[in-house]
Amino acid sequence: MKKVCLTLSLFTLVFGLMAQTKFSVDKAHSSVNFKVKHNGISFVNGSFNTFDGFVVGDLNNLQDARIEFTVDARSIDTRIEPRDNHLRGADFFDTEKYPQILFKSTGIEKIDDKNYKLKGLITLKDVTKAVTFDVVYGGKIVGRGGKDVIGFIAKGRINRFDFNVAYDPDGKTIAKDVDLILYMEFVAE
């Protein structure tokens, strides 16, 4: 009986590892975006043009996947160069000292076949905080070269003050809450 249990446990472990696939971000078909309320009446939109990341997991059990993501804070782009330079400076991202924004998942909750809650840690500047993203799984297709391609939309919100981005401390011109919107495609390696 012990041999049967050991064999089944080993089979489950090996099969589980084989089902794990690594998907790398397809940078040509993905974007990392944000918006923040300006003057209390409109929004400033922007993006980060340089990023990388991956998903490791079994597509049949996405709630067990592991996700890591890196954003180059120096690649911020609001289409206004003087504003972008200010955002790179010490008042905001201080990219000389903190060039990267990091995300590591800590858990994924399945809501239904398409919707998930992605929990993780964001490190921005010298602070690491928990964040939750609402994720919509777009599905899977077979792409070029016969490789699986998966797609997601992830939306979350952070309070910039939590990450020592405290320019305009009253939040009258630049709101404290920043909405994050990621459109992602990942390709199997």
Side-chain angles (χ1 to χ4, degrees):
M1 184 65 172
K2 285 183 181 181
K3 284 185 180 182
V4 171
C5 288
L6 181 60
T7 302
L8 285 174
S9 296
L10 186 58
F11 177 76
T12 302
L13 176 65
V14 170
F15 182 73
L17 290 175
M18 289 174 51
Q20 299 287 309
T21 303
K22 183 174 183 179
F23 292 85
S24 294
V25 70
D26 178 353
K27 297 171 193 168
H29 298 103
S30 299
S31 64
V32 176
N33 311 283
F34 65 89
K35 75 175 184 177
V36 62
K37 200 160 202 176
H38 184 254
N39 285 332
I41 60 171
S42 64
F43 290 89
V44 169
N45 294 297
S47 61
F48 292 93
N49 295 326
T50 305
F51 50 86
D52 204 0
F54 64 84
V55 175
V56 175
D58 173 4
L59 293 182
N60 296 316
N61 296 299
L62 286 173
Q63 62 272 20
D64 295 329
R66 181 172 53 96
I67 300 168
E68 293 188 19
F69 213 78
T70 304
V71 174
D72 184 341
R74 298 167 295 194
S75 72
I76 195 165
D77 184 0
T78 64
R79 297 175 304 285
I80 306 292
E81 189 172 344
R83 178 172 51 213
D84 295 344
N85 290 333
H86 189 201
L87 291 169
R88 290 182 191 105
D91 285 339
F92 290 92
F93 290 101
D94 199 1
T95 61
E96 287 285 322
K97 286 169 108 174
Y98 309 104
Q100 293 186 329
I101 302 167
L102 306 172
F103 174 82
K104 290 187 178 186
S105 64
T106 57
I108 302 171
E109 177 187 350
K110 183 176 183 176
I111 305 302
D112 57 39
D113 287 343
K114 297 279 184 190
N115 296 285
Y116 295 83
K117 295 278 186 190
L118 170 61
K119 297 179 182 194
L121 298 173
I122 287 183
T123 301
L124 193 151
K125 292 180 77 171
D126 56 346
V127 177
T128 300
K129 291 271 187 188
V131 66
T132 300
F133 286 92
D134 293 318
V135 176
V136 177
Y137 175 51
K140 178 188 85 149
I141 63 164
V142 177
R144 289 186 173 184
K147 293 184 177 185
D148 287 340
V149 179
I150 56 176
F152 299 93
I153 298 171
K155 295 180 180 180
R157 175 175 281 175
I158 62 170
N159 178 333
R160 65 184 176 91
F161 296 145
D162 289 345
F163 296 93
N164 295 329
V165 181
Y167 182 80
D168 184 19
D170 295 328
K172 291 182 180 178
T173 304
I174 303 165
K176 67 177 182 167
D177 291 326
V178 179
D179 291 319
L180 306 172
I181 307 102
L182 290 78
Y183 301 100
M184 294 284 122
E185 283 189 20
F186 294 88
V187 179
E189 291 188 359

